[in-house]
Amino acid sequence: MADFSVDHPIYNEANQSQYKLLPKITISDNKSEIFCVKFSPDGKFLAAGCGDGAIRVFNVNNGTIAYNLQGGSNIALPTTAIKFRPVTATTRTKNVFISANAAGSVQHWHMTSGKCLHSIEDENNQVYALDYNDEGTNFVTGGKDKALRVYDEATKTLISTLCGGMYFTNKETAGHSNRIFSCKFKPGDANIIISGGWDNTVQIWDLRVGESVKSFYGPHICGDSLDIFENDIVTGSWRPDKQLEIWDFATCKKVADIPWTVSQFNQTNSPACMLYAAQFSKEGKGKFIAAGGSGANEAKVFDHSNNNTVVGTVTGLSRGIFTIDFSAENNKIAIGGGDSSIRILDIVSRE
């Protein structure tokens, strides 16, 4: 079992969160780095995409492997993103998720049967980011070629390509000038998508006009470290300072820097933590924010409802953290990264 520590700040009722992290399970029998983790909608399973291309699904309660959908290989490219299809009243087939890889493939999987239902191939691209809208009717991809592609879930056909340029008019539209590493539909509005990547911009796209309608400069997004809840956008940047920031969706102005203090368990001269992952919690209306990265090799959970106070820190890891996900219920969090281990923790009351 991979060693790690959970560091909790000294509790002071006046300015500290009333919650803490409780380690539950460590899954350490993976053969390669963990590039992405995602809970199933019911929270019973956790899907993981690995550096050797493998896709494995684990039981959340005990950490045992439930389904091995794609075997790994030392010549395969990494599985870079996973997203479960939302379960709605009109959902016919449950337990479906999409995965992306650095070979340019986007694949639909039926988890319980292990079958690949559909595959979209683009050998000239590398796909790093995925998301569904709330109803699961459309999904979006982003990657190396600087464009977002929106697909119809039922037919798997491309319905929109979002990127900057001149096109057929003399008006140049905004877009990304480098790789895209994160993209999200805005909850409650299937026409709005936000995206970020290496070009230090966050673009806000409107499918009704087919282009970026506003943007802001600053975040250096190098993983799935962009998320939105209501009017708040959280960004995690791979840099040694001002890594974690909150932005206002309506104005595109920064409203908060969330300080990142290296854990007391790390050495005095420990490097800063540069972020690959950041996310709002799904339960409790964005109550918590989790983020993690390399350098100091840490992950932290913040109480966003209480002035972004620190809930706890996962520290003492030998390699960086690449991915984080909150469960839809019960405030569980999964963390994966370069040491090939997955850690599942609960956020619980201090009482």
Side-chain angles (χ1 to χ4, degrees):
M1 181 175 290
D3 294 329
F4 74 105
S5 303
V6 175
D7 178 18
H8 293 110
I10 298 173
Y11 181 66
N12 181 323
E13 190 170 345
N15 59 12
Q16 294 294 340
S17 174
Q18 297 182 13
Y19 298 90
K20 64 180 181 179
L21 298 180
L22 181 64
K24 298 297 289 185
I25 292 171
T26 298
I27 303 168
S28 55
D29 59 348
N30 298 293
K31 297 179 181 179
S32 183
E33 303 98 325
I34 307 299
F35 275 70
C36 52
V37 291
K38 281 292 181 290
F39 283 99
S40 61
D42 61 9
K44 295 180 180 179
F45 299 98
L46 183 75
C50 304
D52 61 0
I55 301 173
R56 308 175 80 191
V57 180
F58 299 92
N59 290 296
V60 169
N61 286 337
N62 56 24
T64 58
I65 188 163
Y67 308 101
N68 196 354
L69 275 70
Q70 183 165 275
S73 166
N74 59 7
I75 61 172
L77 292 175
T79 296
T80 51
I82 288 173
K83 184 72 176 183
F84 277 88
R85 186 170 68 191
V87 177
T88 67
T90 60
T91 301
R92 293 183 179 180
T93 306
K94 298 181 180 179
N95 299 316
V96 172
F97 66 81
I98 49 176
S99 69
N101 62 44
S105 297
V106 177
Q107 297 173 308
H108 278 73
W109 297 91
H110 184 235
M111 181 182 73
T112 48
S113 69
K115 292 182 179 179
C116 180
L117 305 176
H118 190 268
S119 184
I120 300 169
E121 307 289 339
D122 185 354
E123 296 179 356
N124 297 318
N125 196 16
Q126 296 177 355
V127 182
Y128 307 129
L130 294 169
D131 198 30
Y132 274 107
N133 63 3
D134 290 343
E135 295 300 313
T137 55
N138 294 332
F139 63 93
V140 59
T141 70
K144 180 181 178 181
D145 72 353
K146 304 172 284 188
L148 294 176
R149 291 177 175 82
V150 182
Y151 295 86
D152 179 88
E153 170 65 15
T155 64
K156 311 298 187 292
T157 55
L158 180 67
I159 58 177
S160 183
T161 300
L162 305 173
C163 56
M166 295 288 287
Y167 301 109
F168 303 108
T169 71
N170 57 5
K171 173 190 172 186
E172 184 170 3
T173 60
H176 287 291
S177 61
N178 213 323
R179 302 181 184 211
I180 298 169
F181 279 93
S182 189
C183 56
K184 296 289 190 302
F185 278 96
K186 188 178 189 295
D189 191 341
N191 290 306
I192 301 298
I193 300 170
I194 64 172
S195 59
W198 274 358
D199 64 2
N200 300 331
T201 72
V202 170
Q203 302 289 333
I204 300 175
W205 309 83
D206 191 328
L207 288 173
R208 291 164 294 194
V209 297
E211 61 186 50
S212 175
V213 292
K214 53 186 176 179
S215 64
F216 55 88
Y217 180 83
H220 186 61
I221 305 296
C222 294
D224 192 12
S225 59
L226 172 70
D227 202 8
I228 181 169
F229 180 79
E230 294 183 345
N231 206 47
D232 285 348
I233 296 173
V234 63
T235 58
S237 294
W238 197 81
R239 62 189 179 209
D241 58 359
K242 296 186 177 180
Q243 305 98 313
L244 193 58
E245 300 165 299
I246 305 293
W247 307 77
D248 182 85
F249 169 80
T251 65
C252 291
K253 302 294 185 182
K254 184 163 67 173
V255 295
D257 283 301
I258 302 178
W260 193 288
T261 304
V262 174
S263 167
Q264 60 181 327
F265 289 104
N266 272 328
Q267 298 179 0
T268 303
N269 295 323
S270 173
C273 193
M274 300 183 289
L275 302 183
Y276 282 118
Q279 187 181 105
F280 284 111
S281 62
K282 300 175 179 67
E283 187 181 44
K285 297 184 178 180
K287 180 178 179 63
F288 300 105
I289 293 172
S294 63
N297 301 337
E298 291 182 339
K300 289 182 184 288
V301 176
F302 301 86
D303 189 340
H304 186 49
S305 66
N306 185 21
N307 200 32
N308 298 313
T309 54
V310 176
V311 173
T313 305
V314 177
T315 187
L317 307 180
S318 62
R319 301 283 300 278
I321 291 169
F322 301 153
T323 178
I324 284 174
D325 193 42
F326 281 101
S327 64
E329 300 177 354
N330 302 323
N331 280 327
K332 289 185 181 294
I333 183 171
I335 297 168
D339 67 356
S340 305
S341 293
I342 300 168
R343 296 165 178 86
I344 300 175
L345 304 94
D346 287 339
I347 303 174
V348 299
S349 173
R350 286 179 176 269
E351 298 178 356

